[in-house]
Amino acid sequence: VGVPSLTAAEGLSPRLLPAYNAILQAWGLASLLSLVELDPRRWRWVLVGYASLPLLRHSARHHFIWVTDQAASHPAWWNRGLRPPADGSVPPVP
Protein backbone atom coordinates (compact mmCIF):
# COMPACT_ATOMS: atom_id res chain seq x y z
CA VAL A 1 0.00 0.00 0.00
CA GLY A 2 2.21 2.91 1.17
CA VAL A 3 2.02 6.63 0.50
CA PRO A 4 0.52 7.40 -2.90
CA SER A 5 2.72 9.21 -5.43
CA LEU A 6 1.95 10.44 -8.92
CA THR A 7 4.03 9.15 -11.82
CA ALA A 8 2.61 11.73 -14.27
CA ALA A 9 0.71 14.97 -13.70
CA GLU A 10 -0.70 17.67 -15.95
CA GLY A 11 2.21 17.44 -18.37
CA LEU A 12 4.80 18.20 -15.67
CA SER A 13 8.31 17.04 -16.38
CA PRO A 14 9.59 14.08 -14.34
CA ARG A 15 12.04 16.47 -12.68
CA LEU A 16 9.14 18.41 -11.08
CA LEU A 17 7.08 15.42 -9.91
CA PRO A 18 8.90 14.88 -6.58
CA ALA A 19 8.12 18.46 -5.51
CA TYR A 20 4.52 18.12 -6.71
CA ASN A 21 4.14 14.85 -4.79
CA ALA A 22 5.61 16.47 -1.66
CA ILE A 23 3.04 19.28 -1.86
CA LEU A 24 0.16 16.80 -2.28
CA GLN A 25 1.41 14.60 0.55
CA ALA A 26 1.79 17.62 2.88
CA TRP A 27 -1.77 18.63 1.99
CA GLY A 28 -3.00 15.13 2.85
CA LEU A 29 -1.10 15.12 6.15
CA ALA A 30 -2.54 18.52 7.06
CA SER A 31 -6.06 17.23 6.41
CA LEU A 32 -5.46 14.21 8.64
CA LEU A 33 -4.03 16.40 11.40
CA SER A 34 -7.09 18.65 11.20
CA LEU A 35 -9.15 15.74 12.54
CA VAL A 36 -7.55 16.36 15.95
CA GLU A 37 -9.60 19.56 16.25
CA LEU A 38 -12.83 17.89 15.20
CA ASP A 39 -15.49 17.23 17.83
CA PRO A 40 -15.61 13.42 18.21
CA ARG A 41 -19.42 13.50 17.81
CA ARG A 42 -18.86 14.65 14.23
CA TRP A 43 -16.51 11.82 13.27
CA ARG A 44 -19.43 9.91 11.74
CA TRP A 45 -19.31 12.43 8.86
CA VAL A 46 -15.65 11.58 8.34
CA LEU A 47 -16.72 7.96 7.98
CA VAL A 48 -19.44 8.94 5.49
CA GLY A 49 -16.80 10.77 3.47
CA TYR A 50 -14.49 7.75 3.46
CA ALA A 51 -17.37 5.46 2.53
CA SER A 52 -18.01 7.59 -0.56
CA LEU A 53 -14.44 7.18 -1.86
CA PRO A 54 -15.12 4.14 -4.09
CA LEU A 55 -17.95 5.98 -5.85
CA LEU A 56 -15.84 9.13 -6.27
CA ARG A 57 -12.91 7.09 -7.59
CA HIS A 58 -15.18 5.43 -10.17
CA SER A 59 -16.53 8.83 -11.21
CA ALA A 60 -13.02 10.28 -11.55
CA ARG A 61 -11.84 7.32 -13.64
CA HIS A 62 -14.85 7.74 -15.94
CA HIS A 63 -14.13 11.48 -16.25
CA PHE A 64 -10.44 10.95 -17.12
CA ILE A 65 -11.32 8.39 -19.79
CA TRP A 66 -13.88 10.80 -21.28
CA VAL A 67 -11.60 13.83 -21.18
CA THR A 68 -8.67 11.89 -22.71
CA ASP A 69 -10.94 10.72 -25.55
CA GLN A 70 -12.10 14.30 -26.06
CA ALA A 71 -8.51 15.57 -26.11
CA ALA A 72 -7.64 13.03 -28.81
CA SER A 73 -10.67 14.05 -30.89
CA HIS A 74 -10.18 17.82 -30.48
CA PRO A 75 -6.52 18.46 -29.51
CA ALA A 76 -6.73 22.25 -29.89
CA TRP A 77 -9.34 22.44 -27.12
CA TRP A 78 -7.35 20.70 -24.39
CA ASN A 79 -4.37 21.10 -22.09
CA ARG A 80 -1.16 19.57 -23.44
CA GLY A 81 -1.16 17.15 -20.49
CA LEU A 82 -4.27 15.48 -21.93
CA ARG A 83 -3.12 15.20 -25.52
CA PRO A 84 -1.83 11.83 -26.70
CA PRO A 85 1.97 11.46 -26.47
CA ALA A 86 3.92 12.50 -29.58
CA ASP A 87 5.34 8.98 -29.92
CA GLY A 88 1.84 7.58 -30.49
CA SER A 89 1.73 5.56 -27.28
CA VAL A 90 -1.46 5.36 -25.22
CA PRO A 91 -1.41 7.48 -22.04
CA PRO A 92 -2.16 5.62 -18.79
CA VAL A 93 -5.60 5.98 -17.25
CA PRO A 94 -5.32 7.32 -13.68
Side-chain angles (χ1 to χ4, degrees), residues 9-21:
E10 304 286 334
L12 289 177
S13 70
R15 181 179 63 83
L16 296 174
L17 281 174
Y20 192 61
N21 278 321

Side-chain angles (χ1 to χ4, degrees), residues 24-82:
L24 293 176
Q25 290 164 356
W27 186 17
L29 180 61
S31 69
L32 287 175
L33 291 174
S34 73
L35 294 176
V36 172
E37 293 183 1
L38 187 63
D39 180 353
R41 292 174 295 184
R42 298 184 184 259
W43 273 63
R44 69 175 174 256
W45 298 113
V46 172
L47 297 176
V48 169
Y50 278 115
S52 69
L53 286 176
L55 180 60
L56 294 172
R57 182 179 168 103
H58 176 74
S59 175
R61 183 174 293 269
H62 173 76
H63 170 74
F64 280 111
I65 291 170
W66 174 81
V67 78
T68 303
D69 289 345
Q70 291 294 307
S73 300
H74 308 286
W77 296 357
W78 297 93
N79 178 310
R80 72 180 185 279
L82 294 173

